[in-house]
Amino acid sequence: MPPDGFSVADMADDAAGLLASLDISNVHVCWFSGGSATPQELALRHPHLVRSLVRVLPVDLHSRAHDTLERLAQIRVPTLVVAGEVDLCTPPRLGRAVADQIPDAEFVVLAGEAHQPFQEQRDDFNALVDEFWSRVEAVGSSS
């Protein structure tokens, strides 16, 4: 367990440090659930490292531990927000609120899906992410 006072920003900085030590830059980042806080911070604190974001869902839009809602407009990478239609932990309205704050973010609701689309509807989820990343790469290679 991390020491007391270890923050989401610290985790994002650690991730950036790991990527730097491995000489990796410009990464696609995909996550789910509470893990979304760290990639949001990574994109905000170290934007040069992030190529795209997928499944940008908040645990809580105004959590004491992590609140990026007011800063999400600073994210300038292609972003795909994926919500499950019947997700009780992070209902689609929360995903929509996040997508509305990130410039040009795409928002998709998976019908009948709950909280773990990569397990519950893995073929549909993987196809969605693959298509998104293919478009991101196509745009990147032409600019």
Side-chain angles (χ1 to χ4, degrees):
M1 295 300 295
D4 287 342
F6 195 74
S7 69
V8 171
D10 293 330
M11 288 185 273
D13 292 345
D14 278 358
L18 175 63
L19 291 171
S21 73
L22 297 173
D23 198 26
I24 297 173
S25 63
N26 209 353
V27 296
H28 296 282
V29 182
C30 182
W31 69 93
F32 84 104
S33 196
S36 68
T38 301
Q40 286 176 24
E41 281 296 333
L42 182 64
L44 290 164
R45 297 172 68 81
H46 306 279
H48 60 285
L49 294 176
V50 179
R51 178 76 180 104
S52 72
L53 298 172
V54 173
R55 187 130 162 101
V56 190
L57 295 178
V59 175
D60 182 345
L61 286 177
H62 297 290
S63 166
R64 288 182 203 89
H66 180 72
D67 184 359
T68 58
L69 193 61
E70 300 299 321
R71 297 183 294 139
L72 291 176
Q74 297 171 29
I75 294 177
R76 300 287 185 210
V77 298
T79 301
L80 173 63
V81 179
V82 181
E85 178 185 37
V86 294
D87 186 342
L88 299 177
C89 296
T90 51
R93 66 179 171 76
L94 296 180
R96 169 52 71 194
V98 168
D100 286 348
Q101 295 302 311
I102 299 173
D104 301 318
E106 297 178 32
F107 179 64
V108 174
V109 176
L110 295 177
E113 173 55 48
H115 191 62
Q116 297 181 341
F118 55 90
Q119 290 178 326
E120 297 161 353
Q121 293 183 16
R122 69 177 165 260
D123 293 339
D124 293 340
F125 181 78
N126 288 339
L128 178 67
V129 173
D130 183 58
E131 189 274 331
F132 175 73
W133 281 341
S134 293
R135 284 189 288 116
V136 169
E137 287 303 312
V139 169
S141 66
S142 67
S143 52

